[in-house]
Amino acid sequence: MPSSRPRLLFRGLHALIWHGDDADRQALERFLPRLGLTVATQDPGLPPEPTSKHDLLFFDADLDLPLVEGTAVPRIALVGSETPTRLEWLLAQQPATVLVKPIRPSGLYATLAFAFANFDRLLSLERDLERLQTKLRHRRLVLFAVLRLMNERGVGEDEAFAHLRRSAMHQRTTIEALSAEILAARPKTTA
Amino acid sequence: MRSGAKETVPVGILYSLTGTYGLVSWEMLNGALLGLDECNALLNGRTELRPVILDPGGRLSAYASHCESLMRDYGCRHIIGCYTSAARKQVLPILERTNTLLWHSARYEGFEASENVMYIGAAPNQHIVPLARYVLENLPPEIYCVGSNYIWTWETNRVLRDLVIGGGGRIVAQRLVPLGETDVAHIVREILERRPAAVFNTLVGESSYQFLRAFWRAVSVEPGLRAGDIPILSCSLCEPELHLIGEPASIGHITSAVYFQSIDRAENHSFLSRYRARFGAHTSPSVDAEAAYICAMLLGRAIESSGTDAVDEVRRAAFADSFEAPQGPVWLDPETNHAFLTPRLATSRRGFGFDIFWEASQPIKPDPYLAWLDETSPGPTAVAQSQPLGDIRVKAADLQSVKGTRHGASSTGAKRIH
């Protein structure tokens, strides 16, 4: 779940700027500390050190930088050219948001806020998706466990499921895990 | 500027002398003109700073066209002006495109740091934060917020709310009225019913004056309530407004500002007498007038020391300067383009002035994005750590004047500041 209040305070975060040393990079280096961030830079010739401990990444969207997919931090694209070829490449990198060059102080604060909000939302959606996919995979197990309980206890579907849920709660486990246990531990006796 | 020949440097002045903000604007114009006069004396005939005054008349769209005109038709590279943030946002793109400088005198809500603005008015950590800290340390933190419905109110209320709630207090209510609204009777009634420990007032202009008068009338006939039992806090109430409100409704309100006429410094006594000699004994220089004066002085001194009005050279010279202003030493922070200023808290008294009961022991570094204010645990200690407000100076007379407006025990258990 995303936190109820969005991140609007960036003090103490560390930004890496992967961009050539020009007026835009220097402007970012000057403006980010006002918002409480520390800044490191990386020339385009080399990828960032794998050990780099940054909390967000600014990268030059005008070069085909070898961005690693699914980086664990929000990525902000520094966009000069808006041609379709560049945008196609850029969209494939899935940045959290973009900042249009030339870099000005206006817009930077909003860009940071959106980058973190978008990134958090994406993480949260991915977590939800994984949870739901697991649930979906285990649905067959739950279904068979309910059928088993209905047969054994001569109860209806609702009661069987309620029993399953209660037991799972008492044993502090999930319905899915308990279902798997029931099916594994008590093999079917009827042919 | 070539050496030898006398040159004229046009300095744009862009305040709405007519319209809603006319009153404050005249004081800012006076401050700027006084500063330019004094810089001309400093330049000793080598160069003359010539004010070019345009009046946008309170119309937002006119700020952009007048700003363009100052650059194009009058050759200005420097403008002193703008009072509201909306007006400043109108001229920002022009300033950036033409690489010219706005010397901005008004306090504002922060969250901006253009390379083409010198922010001489107070940043939020220099006005709202000291006031919030005062609330936390001295009042049961149950605050009623009333304000005009625009960005200044929204943002100052947000900071106050975060600090007060973070310090264990609460906002009793927040009531917003349209800009210029003068029907405030229902708000006065609600305040008397709910009896908050204090009211935070961000109403502007006539709305605020009507409110303060109505509040005084209501309190004076309310059984069991004395004037000052519910103090009214503000970041904008200034001396010329006290005249407009009229006594006794103008008395006993707490204001946070970097300048009051009652500052006891030789530089301020001299400033007041020069100001009144130039513009008349009836004039009342406010925090905005002092800020406009500082704008002109920092600009003129930078032109004097760099020998040109070219923007990059002036900016560099201004960053190296420190000026003994009426409020105390003022200098620019190259990191944010905002000024180091000295916050103060004062209570309005009889005679249309303020008694200062607290002042920072030194100028405070500007923090326009409140990046160094810990909003998650903003107790007085946290605030003090992120921005040392320093010793508290108390004068016996001030103490007396404040007693009437203060509540008893501090619910936070923190040290009282008077």
Side-chain angles (χ1 to χ4, degrees), chain A residues 174-186:
Chain A
T174 63
I175 293 177
E176 289 79 8
L178 184 60
S179 298
E181 220 173 276
I182 289 170
L183 295 170
R186 290 187 292 182

Side-chain angles (χ1 to χ4, degrees), chain A residues 65-114:
Chain A
L65 295 176
L67 287 167
V68 180
E69 208 182 321
T71 316
V73 301
R75 298 183 296 187
I76 298 171
L78 303 173
V79 175
S81 166
E82 296 178 56
T83 57
T85 41
R86 287 318 307 164
L87 290 182
E88 212 173 322
W89 177 84
L90 179 55
L91 285 166
Q93 311 307 316
Q94 299 185 312
T97 186
V98 301
L99 194 56
V100 176
K101 295 191 257 189
I103 304 300
R104 308 161 58 230
S106 321
L108 182 57
Y109 185 57
T111 298
L112 288 182
F114 268 87

Side-chain angles (χ1 to χ4, degrees), chain B residues 31-263:
Chain B
L33 291 177
L34 183 67
L36 292 181
D37 278 0
E38 293 182 8
C39 289
N40 281 331
L42 194 73
L43 288 158
N44 200 19
R46 294 190 305 276
T47 303
E48 189 199 348
L49 305 180
R50 188 168 47 82
V52 182
I53 304 167
L54 293 189
D55 175 11
R59 287 170 299 123
L60 266 190
S61 59
Y63 276 90
S65 57
H66 284 35
C67 179
E68 291 270 15
S69 173
L70 285 171
M71 312 300 181
R72 190 185 53 227
D73 305 330
Y74 298 93
C76 297
R77 289 166 159 174
H78 300 274
I79 293 179
I80 299 171
C82 295
Y83 185 61
T84 64
S85 290
R88 191 181 59 256
K89 300 276 186 201
Q90 291 288 315
V91 302
L92 272 184
I94 302 167
L95 301 166
E96 291 181 358
R97 196 183 68 231
T98 53
N99 190 28
T100 44
L101 270 187
L102 171 69
W103 298 74
H104 184 254
S105 53
R107 85 191 78 73
Y108 81 118
E109 65 281 350
F111 296 89
E112 189 186 289
S114 167
E115 297 293 89
N116 294 87
V117 181
M118 294 299 203
Y119 301 84
I120 307 301
N125 71 310
Q126 294 162 329
H127 53 71
I128 178 67
V129 172
L131 187 68
R133 184 174 167 236
Y134 166 81
V135 167
L136 285 172
E137 294 181 356
N138 294 273
L139 301 172
E142 292 174 0
I143 310 302
Y144 185 105
C145 296
V146 56
S148 298
N149 194 8
Y150 76 130
I151 189 152
W152 160 258
T153 293
W154 305 333
E155 201 48 41
T156 47
N157 277 2
R158 183 191 70 86
V159 174
L160 186 83
R161 187 184 62 223
D162 284 357
L163 289 171
V164 165
I165 292 174
R170 70 191 180 97
I171 300 299
V172 175
Q174 173 177 280
R175 298 288 174 251
L176 306 181
V177 302
L179 273 168
E181 174 66 61
T182 51
D183 179 12
V184 289
H186 59 292
I187 293 173
V188 171
R189 262 198 313 278
E190 190 183 46
I191 293 171
L192 293 194
E193 278 162 22
R194 304 184 75 159
R195 300 283 171 103
V199 173
F200 180 50
N201 174 21
T202 49
L203 293 165
V204 293
E206 199 52 43
S207 308
S208 178
Y209 314 150
Q210 289 286 356
F211 167 72
L212 291 169
R213 290 184 207 121
F215 187 74
W216 186 85
R217 278 196 303 272
V219 166
S220 63
V221 297
E222 179 79 5
L225 203 60
R226 288 165 309 146
D229 279 355
I230 304 176
I232 297 182
L233 319 173
S234 153
C235 290
S236 59
L237 190 66
C238 59
E239 290 89 347
E241 292 186 309
L242 299 179
H243 286 275
L244 292 180
I245 296 158
E247 292 182 347
S250 64
I251 301 171
H253 310 306
I254 294 173
T255 296
S256 173
V258 293
Y259 176 81
F260 294 101
Q261 287 173 18
S262 50
I263 290 170

Side-chain angles (χ1 to χ4, degrees), chain A residues 5 9 11 30-31 33-36 104-106 109, chain B residues 96 111 113 115 162 335 337 369-374:
Chain A
R5 288 190 71 177
L9 194 61
R11 184 177 74 202
R30 203 162 61 247
F31 302 153
R34 292 174 185 169
L35 297 160
R104 308 161 58 230
S106 321
Y109 185 57
Chain B
E96 291 181 358
F111 296 89
E115 297 293 89
D162 284 357
E335 211 177 281
N337 305 322
Y369 290 93
L370 291 176
W372 305 102
L373 177 68
D374 195 345

